[in-house]
Amino acid sequence: MIQSPWKVSGVLACLLLLGGCGGDSNDKARFQPTLDERVAAVAQQQGISGDPSVGRSLPDIASPKAQLGMQLFFSKGLGGDLDSACVSCHHPMLGGGDDLSLSIGVEAVQPDLLGPGRLHLSTGTHFDGGPTVPRNAPSTFNIVFYDEVLFHDGRVESLDKTAGLNGAGGGIRTPDSAFGVADPDAGANLSIAQARFPVTSPEEMRGFSFEAGNNNAALRTHLEQRLRGSDVELALVTNQWLDAFRHGFEQPAADANTLITYDNVAEALASYQNSQVLIDSPWKAYREGDLQAISDQAKRGALLFYNSKEQGGAGCAGCHSGDFLTDEQFHVVGMPQVGRGKGDGPDGSEDFGRFRETGDADDKYAFRTPHLLNVTETGPWGHAGGYTSLEAVVRHHLNPQQAIDNFDFSQLDPAVQVSNMTANTQKALDQLASLRLAGKSQLPEAVLSDEQVDQLLAFLETLTDPCVKDRDCMAKWIPDNTISDPDGLRLQAQSTL
Ligand code: HEC
Ligand code: HEC
């Protein structure tokens, strides 16, 4: 039930002319907008349809290439030491992430145990007392809607940033090329470009001895050889990858050297991930005309989310803009810096965020605005997973300094705590304070009542597609035993996943 353009523009005009419409009180009463009309007006004004997929081409999980991608995504055969797969940190039943503040990839005590309880080996040369991965694993759901950057610091970046193309418009910069320069091997979209890198990270998948000291190209060549069956060092006991690639790329007669290339691995992985479109939320249903799909509390939350501070809102959409709820830009908001850091700062325990890529002083401690689809299911939140409650993340935005002053670091798993996390987080807050003084911060200092915070949370809850919590609905993204396990190294997630 779409309102007529006349009516919408009438309401819009009333809202924009703050004095109201018409001259006498009868007119005022007649034009007093309802809660639904007020939400419709602000959504209309910001171009929010509720559906981020409009005008995009999306791969289908049933396609052969996405099916091959699923086999690869679940295989520890892509891990240097055969102990870590993409799914170790991005499981469909864990919101497309791992449910941990900081990820644990290689050297897990039980490699097939995902989520809370997954621990890093407490012996060995690389054990440093906690998860070795310094950042929180974002969800792989809906990444097809990113058009500009992937990763918390945007180190995979579309150079022309055309809307609607997932980076397919022009060149893509990756960690294999200099800032601002296209990587000739990046592939056709951001998801393909990204899929070239997890295998190169020692902490995530590579391990500390596989191709140690050699460059990314050598590492990928070695993985190609392994999947082709020509790796003399570490032959796979079972190897039916050629069949799987022939089927996936629909080339039944092609040989291993033609088909089993890392470019094709990345393309298949991206097809699988880009098929994870999970957007059928109550908010979308509401925007498409089902006025009962969300509660009045959530509608008030939507007004707070979309209206600026000056309009009486919290100004969230200033950064979490559009139907994908992100501007894909970088902002300093000072969320907790926990874990071992990215090697930045005097003792290496800091994470400079976007500054690591641009070298621009204003970008120090800036991180990409994440999208908020299915956000109730993608915690812990923040680039280092410092927040374990959604309410705390929302309150953080309202008053970051106060939130950190009151932050109970002991709520975190002792393994992710390091002694200087309070001091490191304070540096980001000091940066926020100085950007604010210089008029360079887009974070409004909105003051909300407890009731309004609850309304915002009720709105955020409407962004979750119920499918993501339903094992049967998600089954098509989790291989069962009717789908071949080409190397016998499929990660069989323990517990009920
Ligand atoms: C050890 C855990 C781990 C493993 C294994 C892992 N990832 Fe990730 N993934 C992460 C973390 C942590 C990040 C964020 C890193 C950053 O931003 O610096 C990430 C980021 C991503 C992103 C970017 C999402 C976004 O919102 O920008 C994608 C896509 C992704 N991973 C896909 C994959 C694929 C494909 C594989 C397998 C080839 C894989 N990951 C293996 C932990 C992991
Ligand atoms: C100045 C831009 C900006 C504004 C305004 C803003 N956010 Fe954010 N938001 C961010 C950034 C940047 C992050 C990620 C910070 C990090 O990773 O350390 C984030 C993270 C979040 C997260 C955690 C998501 C995740 O996956 O970890 C939630 C939830 C969130 N914001 C909700 C809100 C709400 C609600 C409002 C309004 C009260 C709001 N944001 C206003 C920039 C903004």
Side-chain angles (χ1 to χ4, degrees):
M1 214 176 31
I2 304 294
Q3 288 172 319
S4 75
W6 177 85
K7 188 163 181 208
V8 171
S9 57
V11 172
L12 244 185
C14 296
L15 288 176
L16 293 176
L17 301 167
L18 287 175
C21 293
D24 63 54
S25 53
N26 275 346
D27 276 353
K28 262 190 193 153
R30 183 150 50 90
F31 284 111
Q32 192 68 45
T34 64
L35 183 54
D36 290 317
E37 284 168 340
R38 287 162 67 203
V39 178
V42 74
Q44 183 96 357
Q45 197 181 26
Q46 297 185 23
I48 310 294
S49 71
D51 183 357
S53 73
V54 175
R56 294 185 181 247
S57 79
L58 304 170
D60 184 344
I61 182 58
S63 73
K65 203 186 283 179
Q67 291 284 305
L68 170 64
M70 178 161 74
Q71 289 168 306
L72 289 162
F73 198 85
F74 278 74
S75 172
K76 288 175 284 191
L78 289 181
D81 301 329
L82 310 181
D83 70 345
S84 176
C86 304
V87 77
S88 304
C89 308
H90 300 286
H91 195 282
M93 287 313 293
L94 295 175
D98 59 9
D99 221 0
L100 298 172
S101 291
L102 299 168
S103 297
I104 295 168
V106 302
E107 300 175 342
V109 176
Q110 292 170 277
D112 286 12
L113 177 70
L114 307 188
R118 183 176 177 83
L119 299 172
H120 191 272
L121 275 181
S122 57
T123 54
T125 42
H126 305 284
F127 179 70
D128 67 353
T132 45
V133 176
R135 289 183 179 160
N136 176 263
S139 176
T140 53
F141 299 167
N142 301 316
I143 56 165
V144 68
F145 302 123
Y146 277 114
D147 291 332
E148 304 193 13
V149 285
L150 285 180
F151 284 127
H152 294 294
D153 52 18
R155 64 189 183 276
V156 164
E157 177 165 16
S158 160
L159 295 180
D160 77 351
K161 302 181 169 51
T162 309
L165 294 183
N166 189 219
I172 295 174
R173 184 266 158 156
T174 75
D176 281 345
S177 60
F179 185 72
V181 176
D183 172 354
D185 300 320
N189 63 42
L190 290 173
S191 305
I192 298 175
Q194 194 284 335
R196 300 175 65 76
F197 292 92
V199 294
T200 70
S201 154
E203 296 82 10
E204 289 188 9
M205 293 181 77
R206 179 180 189 152
F208 296 91
S209 50
F210 184 72
E211 289 290 322
N214 292 336
N215 66 17
N216 291 349
L219 167 95
R220 295 188 192 106
T221 302
H222 197 155
L223 288 176
E224 286 169 351
Q225 287 167 349
R226 178 189 287 175
L227 300 193
R228 286 175 192 163
S230 56
D231 177 5
V232 283
E233 223 178 280
L234 193 70
L236 297 170
V237 179
T238 305
N239 192 343
Q240 287 155 5
W241 281 116
L242 181 56
D243 279 351
F245 275 76
R246 282 178 168 161
H247 189 252
F249 281 89
E250 300 175 85
Q251 294 181 44
D255 65 14
N257 288 354
T258 314
L259 273 181
I260 305 184
T261 61
Y262 201 87
D263 288 354
N264 279 353
V265 169
E267 205 175 307
L269 285 170
S271 233
Y272 166 71
Q273 296 178 94
N274 280 0
S275 78
Q276 294 181 325
V277 173
L278 290 146
I279 56 174
D280 284 326
S281 65
W283 171 246
K284 177 168 174 279
Y286 175 71
R287 284 298 298 142
E288 288 172 353
D290 176 1
L291 299 184
Q292 312 301 319
I294 71 173
S295 66
D296 280 3
Q297 192 192 24
K299 292 170 192 173
R300 295 202 170 85
L303 288 177
L304 292 167
F305 191 91
Y306 288 106
N307 279 319
S308 67
K309 187 185 163 197
E310 293 67 34
Q311 294 166 312
C316 308
C319 301
H320 299 281
S321 54
D323 280 311
F324 193 36
L325 298 123
T326 170
D327 56 3
E328 298 193 52
Q329 300 298 307
F330 302 85
H331 303 276
V332 179
V333 297
M335 287 205 189
Q337 178 56 47
V338 303
R340 72 187 188 119
K342 283 287 279 184
D344 299 328
D347 67 356
S349 68
E350 290 187 59
D351 183 342
F352 287 166
R354 183 62 171 166
F355 174 82
R356 296 169 54 80
E357 307 306 313
T358 62
D360 178 341
D362 286 349
D363 287 339
K364 215 179 232 186
Y365 311 109
F367 292 90
R368 180 192 63 184
T369 309
H371 74 79
L372 300 176
L373 299 174
N374 304 305
V375 71
T376 56
E377 306 309 302
T378 59
W381 297 271
H383 69 275
Y387 278 117
T388 53
S389 109
L390 196 53
E391 180 180 345
V393 188
V394 172
R395 286 190 185 276
H396 177 98
H397 287 79
L398 304 175
N399 191 336
Q401 184 66 59
Q402 190 181 66
I404 296 298
D405 288 346
N406 298 335
F407 187 82
D408 179 9
F409 284 91
S410 68
Q411 66 164 317
L412 292 168
D413 184 329
V416 308
Q417 300 183 37
V418 290
S419 53
N420 34 8
M421 57 198 174
T422 314
N424 287 347
T425 306
Q426 189 57 47
K427 290 184 194 171
L429 291 168
D430 293 349
Q431 165 82 332
L432 170 61
S434 69
L435 289 173
R436 276 181 159 166
L437 269 179
K440 289 177 177 173
S441 170
Q442 282 170 248
L443 190 65
E445 295 178 73
V447 179
L448 301 189
S449 65
D450 289 351
E451 193 187 0
Q452 288 175 311
V453 170
D454 288 345
Q455 290 167 352
L456 266 180
L457 286 165
F459 168 67
L460 292 179
E461 281 162 18
T462 71
L463 302 173
T464 294
D465 180 339
C467 182
V468 305
K469 297 195 258 187
D470 177 344
R471 180 63 174 76
D472 290 338
C473 190
M474 295 304 290
K476 57 188 172 186
W477 287 288
I478 304 171
D480 62 17
N481 47 24
T482 65
I483 292 173
S484 89
D485 176 5
D487 51 16
L489 291 168
R490 176 169 299 158
L491 189 142
Q492 305 280 2
Q494 289 176 23
S495 80
T496 54
L497 305 176

